[in-house]
Amino acid sequence: MLEKAGCQLLTVHGRTKDQKGPLTGVASWDHIKAVRQAVKIPVFANGNIQHLSDVELCIRETGVQGVMSAEGNLHNPALFEGCSPPVWEMAEEYLQVVREHPPCTLSFIRAHLFKLWHHTLQIHQDLREELAKVKTVEALAHVSLQLKLRCQEEISRCDGAEEKDSGLPAPHWICQPYVRPPPKEPLVNGNSLSSELKKPAGHKRALQDDPDSTQDGLSKNKQKKRSRKPHKNFSLEQKPKYIKCEQCGNPKGNKCVFNLCRGCCKKKAFKEVADCLSHGLKFKTKADKRRLEEEEKEKEEEERGTVPVPPTDHSLPLPLPNGQTIL
């Protein structure tokens, strides 16, 4: 449908709408491949691009014409260059771009620096709090400089040796992707719930299993309504069936002069300059009122003896007392 409508390039993100935040997970290249095979227009893939090698792998497995990268590119802006520079180099280059092309919203700058310094800020928590509080670009640059100096001090202290206990493939001061940990299962009495016991989002209990329901099958909310209106009918089979609108099928107004719903009645009343008291429409009444006002105004002008003056044609010559004329 998109291709027939004129779409010239399609990007598939390979995730469901629920896969966001802590539930982002891994994108499905199989679904991207299925979309690619279903259309003839170019398709771009998005998802799981964390290194330059992933680009070639994705293109080979899905058959797409190109790839996109969101978080992988935010944590390592040099991703498509195939290198992983020190974080401070990318931070300094980004801040220089910010200064050359103002104005830039402070929250955007802060968010980019948080992505770049993500792994380092897990260690230097004090600077993480300071980065969240400062209010100017120069203050953000100062925090970034402090992080740079601390990282360089660590490098000189360990002679370039990589950290062993960080769990990262490279030292934290090297640009690298961030992989979110999977969400933890909820605990009940110290035990995790199995997937079979988990209920999907939006699941409703059956009416007979509702502890608040009565023998009549009424929920607690409906019981309150019945206490206020004892004769209220909750049975769908016994509810009165409304007469449908002659044009659209919606319930018509009970006393509509056209036997239509409000929307259709408004269109018809406007077109025919008619009234419908049932829907509160007074097009005819308003038109009559305007006509009466115009007639009264004309009578007043006649009583005063005012005659409308025809427009003057300024192209004709105007005579002057001395016999001269003005063209």
Side-chain angles (χ1 to χ4, degrees), residues 77-316:
L79 186 151
F80 289 108
E81 292 184 1
C83 61
S84 298
V87 177
W88 59 81
E89 290 185 6
M90 293 290 95
E92 290 172 354
E93 183 176 342
Y94 170 66
L95 289 171
Q96 183 61 30
V97 172
V98 170
R99 295 187 184 97
E100 291 177 359
H101 304 280
C104 183
T105 307
L106 194 68
S107 60
F108 294 174
I109 306 171
R110 196 196 313 274
H112 277 292
L113 292 178
F114 266 118
K115 292 288 186 182
L116 287 169
W117 288 107
H118 175 84
H119 299 296
T120 303
L121 290 173
Q122 304 302 315
I123 300 172
H124 302 285
Q125 295 285 342
D126 57 327
L127 292 180
R128 177 186 179 88
E129 295 179 2
E130 188 174 348
L131 187 64
K133 293 178 181 178
V134 292
K135 302 296 183 182
T136 63
V137 176
E138 295 306 322
L140 291 171
H142 179 68
V143 176
S144 181
L145 177 61
Q146 289 182 274
L147 286 166
K148 173 185 176 181
L149 295 176
R150 291 192 185 185
C151 291
Q152 290 178 342
E153 184 180 352
E154 291 181 36
I155 294 173
S156 62
R157 188 168 60 247
C158 64
D159 296 328
E162 295 185 0
E163 297 178 344
K164 297 181 180 180
D165 300 330
S166 63
L168 299 173
H172 63 82
W173 55 78
I174 298 297
C175 288
Q176 55 193 302
Y178 165 61
V179 181
R180 285 192 177 93
K184 297 180 181 179
E185 293 186 356
L187 300 178
V188 177
N189 296 328
N191 300 319
S192 61
L193 293 174
S194 61
S195 58
E196 292 78 14
L197 296 178
K198 293 179 183 178
K199 294 183 178 179
H203 175 75
K204 292 185 178 180
R205 294 174 296 179
L207 192 60
Q208 59 270 20
D209 298 335
D210 192 344
D212 296 329
S213 62
T214 61
Q215 293 181 352
D216 298 335
L218 298 181
S219 64
K220 195 172 182 179
N221 188 26
K222 290 182 178 179
Q223 292 175 38
K224 292 180 180 179
K225 292 182 179 179
R226 173 161 285 184
S227 64
R228 295 192 294 269
K229 296 181 180 180
H231 301 291
K232 186 172 179 61
N233 181 22
F234 294 102
S235 175
L236 295 176
E237 292 79 8
Q238 298 178 1
K239 282 189 175 181
K241 295 184 178 180
Y242 296 98
I243 303 174
K244 293 183 178 180
C245 172
E246 296 178 356
Q247 294 185 2
C248 67
N250 289 327
K252 81 173 189 67
N254 292 331
K255 298 180 181 180
C256 178
V257 295
F258 301 114
N259 291 325
L260 301 174
C261 66
R262 178 175 175 78
C264 298
C265 176
K266 187 175 182 179
K267 293 178 183 178
K268 190 174 182 65
F270 177 78
K271 184 177 180 180
E272 299 183 3
V273 192
D275 290 348
C276 180
L277 299 179
S278 174
H279 289 122
L281 304 174
K282 299 181 179 180
F283 294 109
K284 185 176 182 300
T285 303
K286 292 179 179 178
D288 293 341
K289 185 178 179 180
R290 285 196 299 268
R291 187 172 62 255
L292 290 174
E293 290 177 353
E294 291 175 359
E295 290 177 356
E296 291 178 359
K297 188 176 181 180
E298 290 178 359
K299 289 181 180 180
E300 290 179 359
E301 291 178 353
E302 290 178 359
E303 292 175 356
R304 293 176 183 174
T306 57
V307 179
V309 179
T312 303
D313 188 358
H314 295 287
S315 62
L316 298 176

